[in-house]
């Protein structure tokens, strides 16, 4: 997941302790699901073998975070703690083997996370607001939805996943760069919120 924050605001108590607010957009790139010839598409003309349709898929999302910056007096390092919420997802595109029928299968989740990361730069990170970040985030998932759109109907299916089908928490690794009011980060989630062992 790529996180892009286009606006940030800061309320400082002093030069080395201050809050920041970051609304952001997420851009999720998903690789196709593994091939499985035993999974079928339920079409109006009966069940047909499902085949992957695209090499990867793109799913947008968004969120909001409140962070507390604890900068060191060397002006080159700092620690950031936060509270974040975001809505994001991933999807896959499938088709029947004869390409007559298509389906988009999307999963979206509301995530509440606690990011903790170190920021560092070669010059004054507070004055220049230019630094790299590296850290992790604890995630809790809520309201996990399955959204299916099919080529033979204009009515999408939307439903919440049962508890047997989901994972409620995970850990993410964070790597990013901040420049002035712009913040770009890559978030690698260690485990998906959809349980791959569910049958």
């Amino acid at each position: 997941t790529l996180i892009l924050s286009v606006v940030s605001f800061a309320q400082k108590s002093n030069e080395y302790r201050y809050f920041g607010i970051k609304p952001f957009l997420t851009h999720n790139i998903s690789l196709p699901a593994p091939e499985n010839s035993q999974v079928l598409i339920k079409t109006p003309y009966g069940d047909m073998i499902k085949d992957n349709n695209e090499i990867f898929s793109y799913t947008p999302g968004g969120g909001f975070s409140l962070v507390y910056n604890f900068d060191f007096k060397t002006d080159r390092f700092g620690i950031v703690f936060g509270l974040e919420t975001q809505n994001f997802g991933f999807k896959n595109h499938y088709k029947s083997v004869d390409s007559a029928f298509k389906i988009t299968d999307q999963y979206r989740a509301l995530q509440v996370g606690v990011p903790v990361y170190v920021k560092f730069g070669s010059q004054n990170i507070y004055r220049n607001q230019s630094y790299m970040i590296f850290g992790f985030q604890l995630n809790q998932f809520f309201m996990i939805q399955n959204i299916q759109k099919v080529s033979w109907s204009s009515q999408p299916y939307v439903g919440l996943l049962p508890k047997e089908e989901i994972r409620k928490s995970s850990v993410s690794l964070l790597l990013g760069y901040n420049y002035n009011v712009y913040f770009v980060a890559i978030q690698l989630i260690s485990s998906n919120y959809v349980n791959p062992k569910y049958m």
Side-chain angles (χ1 to χ4, degrees), residues 62-116:
F64 177 89
S65 67
L66 174 66
V67 293
Y68 182 69
N69 295 263
F70 184 97
D71 292 354
F72 297 112
K73 293 186 178 181
T74 61
D75 291 323
R76 294 187 179 183
F77 296 95
I79 299 175
V80 179
F81 307 91
L83 183 63
E84 173 184 296
T85 181
Q86 64 173 295
N87 183 284
F88 70 107
F90 70 94
K91 63 186 173 185
N92 283 295
H93 303 276
Y94 303 101
K95 60 180 176 62
S96 57
V97 173
D98 62 0
S99 299
F101 301 98
K102 296 181 181 180
I103 180 172
T104 299
D105 198 17
Q106 181 176 184
Y107 295 90
R108 296 197 71 87
L110 176 65
Q111 172 193 301
V112 175
V114 178
V116 179

Side-chain angles (χ1 to χ4, degrees), residues 4 6 12 22 27 33 59 77 79 85 104 114 144 160 166-168 174 177 192:
L4 172 63
V6 292
K12 67 175 184 174
K22 294 185 177 184
H27 307 275
T59 311
F77 296 95
I79 299 175
T85 181
T104 299
V114 178
I144 301 172
L160 291 176
I166 65 175
R167 283 179 170 164
K168 294 185 178 180
L174 300 172
Y177 175 69
N192 202 314

Side-chain angles (χ1 to χ4, degrees), residues 138-179:
L138 303 175
N139 304 308
Q140 192 76 23
F141 302 116
F142 303 92
M143 295 179 61
I144 301 172
Q145 290 182 312
N146 180 213
I147 304 168
Q148 294 182 359
K149 296 180 180 179
V150 296
S151 61
W152 60 88
S153 173
S154 60
Q155 185 68 31
Y157 163 80
V158 180
L160 291 176
L161 296 186
K163 63 180 181 178
E164 297 82 12
E165 211 170 329
I166 65 175
R167 283 179 170 164
K168 294 185 178 180
S169 61
S170 75
V171 178
S172 302
L173 293 178
L174 300 172
L175 177 64
Y177 175 69
N178 186 91
Y179 177 73

